[in-house]
């Protein structure tokens, strides 16, 4: 009986050993797949069977055995209209443009001006708008950059009023807050602007509930205002996180090599 038990345990040991070896071999020979580390491009979540570069963003593919989780996409892309006008500040409109383009197929990003003529933005950069205020798609997100905001025509201000009614979000960068204030969009709300314009915004637009001088941006829900120039980039990532979630915003920030900003 003792010999039979000893034989049984030896046999059990051999079976377990063979199983472990076979399982280890299977794991070691599991075929790798290649993916673009989630960055916000259109190839996020796709599998490739050869090493190389992502056909969408050009970054080197990463070898993985466990696939990356694909980032959530909207059922329908949101129209992101970025206003252009003479003497608008370049980074005010170019920063948000790059951020929302990094959101892949979730956003249809385009520029709008009063006419189809070239727009000379500060400092002396010529830009050709994609649409005019007469033929622009209806914006879901309307972005109003700062600059020499006093040069804006009444026609363009009227377009902003109309477009803002149906937009999900309207946000200004820098002195773009003065444009929103001029047409009454900041009445009863909190707001901010470039540090050099805080006092002017407080003194000249008393219908604004509170002008804050210590925040990168102020979110009222639909209406968002940001501080000066580069703050528009932070606000764009923040708005992306509201719409698509933190993972998308972080992926887009990684793709642009920009330190991710949060409000907290």
């Amino acid at each position: 009986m003792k010999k039979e038990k000893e034989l049984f345990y030896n046999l059990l040991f051999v079976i377990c050993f063979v199983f472990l070896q076979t399982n280890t071999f299977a794991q070691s020979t599991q075929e790798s797949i290649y993916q673009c580390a989630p960055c916000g491009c259109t190839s996020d979540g796709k599998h490739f069977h050869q090493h190389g570069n992502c056909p969408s963003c050009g970054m080197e593919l990463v070898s993985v055995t466990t696939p990356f989780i694909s980032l959530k996409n909207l059922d329908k892309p949101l129209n992101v209209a970025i206003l252009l006008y003479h003497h608008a500040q370049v980074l005010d409109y170019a920063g948000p443009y790059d951020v929302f383009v990094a959101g892949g197929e979730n956003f249809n990003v385009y520029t709008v001006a009063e006419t189809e003529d070239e727009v000379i933005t500060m400092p002396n950069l010529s830009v050709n708008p994609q649409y005019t205020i007469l033929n622009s798609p209806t914006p879901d997100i309307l972005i109003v950059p700062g600059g020499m905001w006093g040069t804006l025509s009444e026609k363009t201000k009227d377009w902003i009023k109309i477009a803002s009614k149906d937009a999900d979000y309207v946000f200004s960068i820098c002195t773009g807050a003065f444009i929103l204030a001029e047409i009454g969009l900041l009445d009863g709300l909190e707001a901010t602007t470039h540090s050099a314009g805080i006092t002017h915004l407080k003194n000249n637009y008393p219908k604004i509930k509170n002008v804050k001088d210590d925040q990168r941006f102020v979110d009222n829900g639909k209406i968002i205002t940001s501080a000066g120039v580069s703050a528009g980039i932070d606000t764009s990532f923040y708005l992306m996180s509201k719409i698509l979630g933190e993972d998308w915003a972080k992926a887009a920030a990684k793709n642009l090599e920009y330190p991710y900003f949060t409000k907290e």
Side-chain angles (χ1 to χ4, degrees):
M1 188 69 178
K2 185 178 180 181
K3 288 185 178 180
E4 290 177 351
K5 283 186 177 180
E6 189 175 15
L7 182 61
F8 172 78
Y9 286 124
N10 287 338
L11 181 60
L12 184 61
F13 173 80
V14 171
I15 292 173
C16 291
F17 178 81
V18 172
F19 174 79
L20 289 173
Q21 288 293 99
T22 302
N23 191 49
T24 301
F25 176 78
Q27 289 182 345
S28 63
T29 58
Q30 182 177 351
E31 182 182 3
S32 294
I33 59 172
Y34 298 90
Q35 287 190 288
C36 178
C39 68
C41 76
T42 55
S43 289
D44 282 343
K46 293 182 180 179
H47 299 175
F48 301 90
H49 295 288
Q50 291 183 336
H51 182 265
N53 292 73
C54 174
S56 298
C57 70
M59 299 298 286
E60 186 176 1
L61 297 174
V62 179
S63 175
V64 296
T65 54
T66 302
F68 293 125
I69 298 174
S70 181
L71 298 173
K72 179 188 77 172
N73 287 304
L74 300 176
D75 295 331
K76 181 183 177 182
L78 297 180
N79 288 335
V80 182
I82 301 179
L83 181 67
L84 293 179
Y85 56 92
H86 291 304
H87 310 300
Q89 175 65 42
V90 171
L91 192 60
D92 282 18
Y93 65 82
Y97 193 103
D98 253 356
V99 171
F100 284 102
V101 167
E105 297 179 346
N106 291 294
F107 302 105
N108 173 36
V109 189
Y110 54 90
T111 53
V112 183
E114 183 171 332
T115 70
E116 61 184 12
D117 298 333
E118 66 177 2
V119 180
I120 308 301
T121 61
M122 293 196 301
N124 200 33
L125 178 65
S126 175
V127 186
N128 296 315
Q130 293 164 271
Y131 294 98
T132 72
I133 58 177
L134 297 178
N135 63 15
S136 166
T138 301
D140 297 300
I141 300 172
L142 175 57
I143 299 177
V144 181
M148 294 181 65
W149 57 273
T151 64
L152 217 62
S153 71
E154 292 302 317
K155 284 184 179 180
T156 301
K157 291 178 185 177
D158 287 341
W159 177 80
I160 295 172
K161 285 182 184 179
I162 295 170
S164 65
K165 290 180 181 178
D166 293 326
D168 296 326
Y169 300 98
V170 179
F171 97 75
S172 64
I173 299 102
C174 195
T175 55
F178 291 104
I179 298 173
L180 300 190
E182 279 286 322
I183 60 179
L185 290 182
L186 298 184
D187 290 358
L189 302 179
E190 295 185 327
T192 192
T193 186
H194 191 289
S195 57
I198 292 291
T199 300
H200 184 77
L201 195 63
K202 286 180 178 179
N203 293 342
N204 290 275
Y205 301 96
K207 290 185 179 181
I208 297 177
K209 180 180 178 181
N210 186 19
V211 177
K212 299 198 170 188
D213 60 2
D214 59 349
Q215 289 187 201
R216 196 70 168 155
F217 52 86
V218 175
D219 181 8
N220 293 282
K222 176 175 179 173
I223 307 293
I224 303 172
T225 56
S226 79
V229 197
S230 63
I233 299 175
D234 297 331
T235 311
S236 298
F237 282 123
Y238 168 74
L239 183 51
M240 182 183 289
S241 72
K242 285 186 68 172
I243 297 168
L244 297 177
E246 289 279 317
D247 289 342
W248 249 115
K250 289 179 180 179
K254 178 181 178 182
N255 191 30
L256 295 177
E257 295 197 353
Y258 188 83
Y260 183 57
F261 179 87
T262 62
K263 193 172 185 178
E264 285 73 29

